[in-house]
Amino acid sequence: MARVLMRKLRYSKLSSMYVKKRMVLYFKSLYDEMEKNERKDNIKIFVMTCFVNHLLNLEMKPKLDDVMLKFEDSMNRECSRKEGRRKTEWAMKLGLMIDESDGKIYIRSIARRFCDGYGQITGVNNDALEALIQFTKFCALLSNTNNVEVLPHLNQLVLWMEYFITVAFCLSAKVQNTPNFFFVIPESYTAVIYFIDATFVQERGVSTFEAVQRHSMRNTVQDNKLIQERLKKLIEILCGVTSSTNINLFSYIFQSNHPNASIDHRDYGIAERLLVLAPVLVCNLGKSVYPVVETKLMSELCKIKVREEYPSRLSEALTSVQRAGSPADVARALQILLLKRENDSLWYCIWDNFDRRNGLQKRKLKAMELSNRFFLEETLQGMNTPHDIVSSKVRTEIDEDDEMDTQITLEEKMEIDRIKMEKKRNDEENEASKKITKFFGKVVFRLRVKNLSTRVVRQLCKEKRVKEMKIFESMRITNKGCGICGVQFKGKATGCLFNKDEQTSNDSEFALLLQESPMFMLQKCLESQEEHGKSEKHKEMVNYYQHFQHKYMQKIFDPLGKVRSFIQRYKLGTAEFVEKNFKEETYNIGILRRQRESVENKIENIIKGCEWQNGEIWGEVQELIGSYHLIKDYVETEARKREERLEKLREVDLARRPKGRGKRKGQRR
């Protein structure tokens, strides 16, 4: 049932869409709260988000790595304002790694080490050993903070400890590769492996057990030593093996260093899982686990005070473990506890290096297969006086050559510098892009305004041309007459040439022109419409007409329009105004007005009389243009001077006006 539900949540687009969106919003709210108020919770947020993002296939945007970079960048800026020694204390309290070199400060969340480890098991080429190394670095850094508030959620931390302890046992068994080498784990730990695998196997990579099987052994002795060192780091955060260890989960959960304190009822579940984890490590002493940690493990278990309010299952297991006289006795107590926990059991496991995928071979453990006595003589003494055990006693027996205290690696520093340089370059490019975009925006706006202005002018000119061309609209053949030749066809009476019931729009225009032009009415034609249209005289007149129309648009339309606009703009049509404001050129302005009137009358006569061959008009237009250019500069200059004088007069007038309305009559003295 759980697998079906998980599959729906991860892969069904419709049914899980709402749940996924809510989860993304939930993580975002957690991050916002952490960033503003509780920054020490960054490890909790990032560890949980990293796992659940894969578990539910959330596809978060922005990606978790980008969110972590943003947070670390803000922490880096804040750290730069701190004083030398306080920087490290400040970073440790917030669960951050800090490194200063070459005048640079590097800040990383400790959660990075967890994400690195998880990335190793979920990558295409799963590397179980490298994942174990990264996770144990994560645990060592957590322990060194000496601040339990930065710990991830304990349920999740213990889950991952169960997972990686199982991975370490499997790797150790594979490396040993001897018939009599075995390890002991609860059956539920294999379920943890399968649960973690479910978050990545279907997308990429292979299962954990297959990744262990693929692990290539370089040197059996060195590999085995490396794995045991990593296990030691896990045991250190669990029960504090060395004096340098600052966090002790057993002491924190069971309150074993505070005689009057007891387990919080909300932590009973975690307490029971730890009570399984520690005996599992005891059962593997002399195999995957250093025997040297035996005394510390058992003394920590014996420190716990059994109280009446504890659940019976927890109390009975604690009592049995504290009375144990050997690893075999511990195994018997653990088997009873596991049996009560949903019929879980303890398994005897070996690793088959010849199985292609899963080398794990298991059966139920018989307690007698474990040692019937502890490995160290001081273990029983430590169990009797657990509070007298000093962690530093065992430190001399453990190799101190451990590079895991290194917080931020050289590769990470180079990556941070690369990201900073890339961000700086991107910011500069974005700023430059904004400026360029703004500049081109202005250019484009100006071009658009210019284009719009040009289009408006063109449209106005077009409309003006259309208006001017209306004078030629009646120059066509209708069933009443020919406007190009200025004749009416035979059988048509003079006067009202068109029957109102039969008139078309073209006929009406032609009739109007005939009524206005007596010349048309005097010329009658003995030809019909069809005969006239085929006659050579009509064709010749059509050619003359088209030539005149073309030349008119080229040589008369624009100059005549400019002159008309010029006269209208500067009010040159009024003789008195011209005499007053343009005295020096009054005569020439008068000539310009008369020439314009003459050209307009000449054009009207040509159209009314159909005199398309009249060439006098072109000379008169040239004279009109010459007169226009002769007075243009003078008129424009005088008009500008006149406008400046008027503007000064307006300013003087405004300056002379009283600022207030003055006192009322009743207020005057």
Side-chain angles (χ1 to χ4, degrees):
M1 185 66 184
R3 287 184 178 180
V4 174
L5 178 61
M6 190 61 64
R7 192 177 296 111
K8 285 185 177 180
L9 284 174
R10 300 192 72 206
Y11 303 111
S12 177
K13 292 184 179 179
L14 296 177
S15 62
S16 64
M17 189 179 297
Y18 181 76
V19 176
K20 289 182 177 181
K21 285 183 178 179
R22 297 301 297 178
M23 287 300 297
V24 171
L25 290 174
Y26 171 66
F27 285 130
K28 186 179 184 302
S29 66
L30 289 179
Y31 174 79
D32 292 341
E33 176 65 23
M34 177 273 292
E35 189 179 33
K36 292 177 183 177
N37 302 316
E38 299 293 339
R39 291 171 300 175
K40 66 180 183 296
D41 289 340
N42 71 88
I43 298 177
K44 289 185 178 70
I45 305 303
F46 293 144
V47 168
M48 179 169 59
T49 305
C50 178
F51 178 61
V52 178
N53 184 38
H54 284 83
L55 180 66
L56 299 182
N57 197 24
L58 295 181
E59 298 179 356
M60 296 177 62
K61 292 181 181 179
K63 293 182 178 180
L64 178 61
D65 189 60
D66 295 331
V67 175
M68 293 177 74
L69 280 173
K70 177 186 174 185
F71 172 75
E72 290 162 351
D73 191 44
S74 67
M75 292 296 97
N76 205 344
R77 290 194 298 271
E78 184 174 341
C79 182
S80 62
R81 299 192 292 268
K82 303 286 182 184
E83 295 179 2
R85 264 184 130 182
R86 296 180 59 189
K87 290 179 182 178
T88 304
E89 296 175 3
W90 170 82
M92 298 291 271
K93 287 181 180 179
L94 295 181
L96 302 173
M97 298 179 281
I98 182 170
D99 197 324
E100 291 187 72
S101 59
D102 300 327
K104 297 180 181 178
I105 300 175
Y106 298 92
I107 293 288
R108 275 283 195 259
S109 171
I110 291 176
R112 283 277 181 186
R113 291 292 171 264
F114 171 83
C115 295
D116 292 342
Y118 187 70
Q120 288 294 333
I121 64 172
T122 60
V124 177
N125 299 315
N126 310 50
D127 191 335
L129 180 59
E130 185 60 31
L132 174 65
I133 292 171
Q134 294 299 329
F135 182 75
T136 50
K137 286 184 178 182
F138 171 66
C139 291
L141 290 168
L142 283 177
S143 181
N144 290 338
T145 62
N146 194 24
N147 183 11
V148 293
E149 292 184 348
V150 305
L151 291 175
H153 293 289
L154 292 178
N155 275 310
Q156 297 175 32
L157 179 59
V158 174
L159 172 75
W160 287 105
M161 291 180 75
E162 293 168 347
Y163 173 83
F164 279 107
I165 282 175
T166 306
V167 170
F169 288 170
C170 293
L171 284 169
S172 183
K174 176 179 174 58
V175 171
Q176 289 287 344
N177 194 25
T178 56
N180 61 343
F181 189 91
F182 66 93
F183 60 93
V184 178
I185 56 171
E187 186 178 15
S188 57
Y189 281 19
T190 59
V192 169
I193 297 289
Y194 296 138
F195 172 66
I196 301 298
D197 285 351
T199 66
F200 63 85
V201 168
Q202 295 193 29
E203 285 81 14
R204 56 192 180 276
V206 296
S207 65
T208 300
F209 289 136
E210 187 172 346
V212 171
Q213 191 70 299
R214 289 183 178 185
H215 174 68
S216 58
M217 296 175 291
R218 299 179 182 86
N219 186 304
T220 304
V221 176
Q222 290 183 359
D223 279 1
N224 189 53
K225 182 180 178 181
L226 176 63
I227 294 166
Q228 288 186 332
E229 286 294 327
R230 302 307 166 182
L231 272 172
K232 182 199 67 177
K233 286 296 177 182
L234 290 178
I235 297 169
E236 282 183 357
I237 194 173
L238 184 66
C239 61
V241 175
T242 65
S243 59
S244 62
T245 303
N246 297 312
I247 290 181
N248 183 326
L249 287 180
F250 261 99
S251 177
Y252 173 59
I253 296 297
F254 289 98
Q255 297 293 310
S256 53
N257 291 331
H258 302 84
N260 297 325
S262 61
I263 305 172
D264 190 318
H265 69 279
R266 292 171 296 184
D267 293 332
Y268 285 153
I270 290 293
E272 190 171 274
R273 290 174 69 181
L274 289 177
L275 192 56
V276 171
L277 190 58
V280 166
L281 293 169
V282 172
C283 291
N284 286 278
L285 288 168
K287 299 291 185 181
S288 300
V289 181
Y290 276 138
V292 75
V293 301
E294 178 185 71
T295 303
K296 186 60 179 175
L297 276 171
M298 292 306 300
S299 64
E300 284 296 323
L301 288 168
C302 291
K303 280 183 183 179
I304 303 168
K305 187 175 181 180
V306 181
R307 298 182 180 275
E308 293 180 358
E309 63 268 23
Y310 291 171
S312 59
R313 191 167 68 190
L314 182 63
S315 299
E316 291 171 3
L318 270 173
T319 303
S320 299
V321 170
Q322 290 173 355
R323 292 176 180 174
S326 65
D329 293 338
V330 173
R332 293 186 185 95
L334 182 56
Q335 284 176 322
I336 295 171
L337 175 60
L338 291 174
L339 187 61
K340 293 178 180 179
R341 294 178 79 234
E342 300 180 359
N343 289 322
D344 198 358
S345 56
L346 204 57
W347 290 87
Y348 174 102
C349 303
I350 60 172
W351 192 265
D352 182 3
N353 283 337
F354 298 101
D355 192 294
R356 293 185 61 185
R357 291 185 175 274
N358 186 351
L360 183 65
Q361 306 292 322
K362 58 184 180 178
R363 61 172 173 79
K364 283 191 178 183
L365 174 73
K366 297 177 182 178
M368 65 182 67
E369 293 175 303
L370 298 180
S371 174
N372 58 3
R373 56 181 295 180
F374 287 116
F375 290 88
L376 302 178
E377 295 179 0
E378 60 265 28
T379 298
L380 290 174
Q381 181 183 351
M383 293 173 66
N384 292 327
T385 56
H387 293 282
D388 296 336
I389 298 296
V390 181
S391 299
S392 60
K393 288 182 179 180
V394 299
R395 183 62 180 172
T396 57
E397 301 179 39
I398 298 177
D399 187 4
E400 296 185 17
D401 184 17
D402 185 4
E403 81 286 358
M404 287 197 301
D405 291 335
T406 302
Q407 295 192 346
I408 302 179
T409 63
L410 179 60
E411 291 78 7
E412 284 184 301
K413 292 177 184 178
M414 293 174 64
E415 179 67 12
I416 293 171
D417 290 338
R418 185 192 65 78
I419 292 172
K420 285 182 178 179
M421 290 297 295
E422 188 174 334
K423 184 177 183 298
K424 183 180 179 181
R425 185 171 63 253
N426 289 338
D427 291 342
E428 291 174 351
E429 289 176 355
N430 290 337
E431 186 64 26
S433 177
K434 287 179 182 178
K435 290 181 180 179
I436 293 171
T437 302
K438 188 176 180 180
F439 170 76
F440 278 108
K442 290 181 180 179
V443 172
V444 170
F445 176 74
R446 289 172 183 169
L447 288 174
R448 286 179 177 176
V449 170
K450 186 177 179 181
N451 291 338
L452 181 61
S453 177
T454 305
R455 288 168 64 185
V456 169
V457 171
R458 285 178 183 173
Q459 183 64 25
L460 290 174
C461 291
K462 185 178 179 181
E463 291 176 359
K464 193 173 181 181
R465 284 174 179 269
V466 171
K467 187 176 180 181
E468 288 291 333
M469 287 297 291
K470 284 185 178 180
I471 64 175
F472 297 106
E473 283 185 355
S474 297
M475 303 299 107
R476 60 178 67 87
I477 299 176
T478 68
N479 59 353
K480 303 298 181 182
C482 176
I484 295 174
C485 299
V487 298
Q488 58 185 110
F489 302 135
K490 66 179 179 179
K492 307 298 178 184
T494 60
C496 184
L497 299 175
F498 299 96
N499 188 332
K500 293 182 180 180
D501 297 333
E502 299 176 356
Q503 284 180 6
T504 63
S505 61
N506 292 335
D507 293 339
S508 299
E509 292 170 1
F510 186 66
L512 180 63
L513 184 63
L514 291 176
Q515 290 171 7
E516 293 177 351
S517 177
M519 292 189 303
F520 287 160
M521 301 183 68
L522 295 175
Q523 298 180 20
K524 296 182 180 179
C525 180
L526 300 177
E527 299 173 322
S528 64
Q529 179 182 358
E530 184 178 356
E531 292 171 344
H532 179 76
K534 295 179 179 180
S535 67
E536 291 297 326
K537 185 179 179 181
H538 171 73
K539 292 177 180 179
E540 187 178 10
M541 288 294 287
V542 168
N543 289 332
Y544 290 145
Y545 164 72
Q546 290 176 347
H547 177 71
F548 176 82
Q549 185 185 43
H550 178 71
K551 206 167 182 179
Y552 173 85
M553 296 307 298
Q554 279 191 333
K555 296 186 177 182
I556 298 179
F557 175 76
D558 286 335
L560 186 58
K562 285 182 180 179
V563 172
R564 285 171 177 168
S565 176
F566 180 73
I567 292 174
Q568 184 179 4
R569 185 186 310 124
Y570 297 108
K571 301 178 182 179
L572 304 182
T574 307
E576 295 178 359
F577 185 82
V578 171
E579 181 69 25
K580 182 179 178 181
N581 296 285
F582 306 104
K583 290 182 181 181
E584 296 182 13
E585 292 290 349
T586 302
Y587 177 75
N588 289 328
I589 292 173
I591 292 176
L592 180 70
R593 286 202 308 268
R594 289 191 293 273
Q595 286 176 338
R596 186 202 69 174
E597 292 173 359
S598 175
V599 168
E600 288 176 344
N601 291 333
K602 181 74 70 175
I603 291 170
E604 183 179 356
N605 291 333
I606 289 173
I607 292 173
K608 285 183 178 181
C610 300
E611 299 175 1
W612 312 122
Q613 302 176 61
N614 191 326
E616 296 177 2
I617 185 65
W618 314 120
E620 292 186 18
V621 170
Q622 292 301 317
E623 292 177 2
L624 177 67
I625 294 171
S627 298
Y628 164 71
H629 286 296
L630 181 66
I631 64 172
K632 178 176 178 293
D633 291 341
Y634 169 78
V635 171
E636 289 176 347
T637 302
E638 291 298 316
R640 185 170 60 255
K641 290 179 180 179
R642 178 175 175 273
E643 185 62 31
E644 290 173 355
R645 289 195 300 270
L646 291 174
E647 183 63 28
K648 288 181 179 179
L649 289 173
R650 281 194 291 268
E651 291 177 358
V652 172
D653 185 52
L654 287 172
R656 288 177 178 177
R657 287 182 184 179
K659 295 182 179 179
R661 295 174 59 187
K663 295 181 179 180
R664 295 180 182 178
K665 187 175 182 180
Q667 294 175 328
R668 295 174 185 169
R669 293 180 180 178

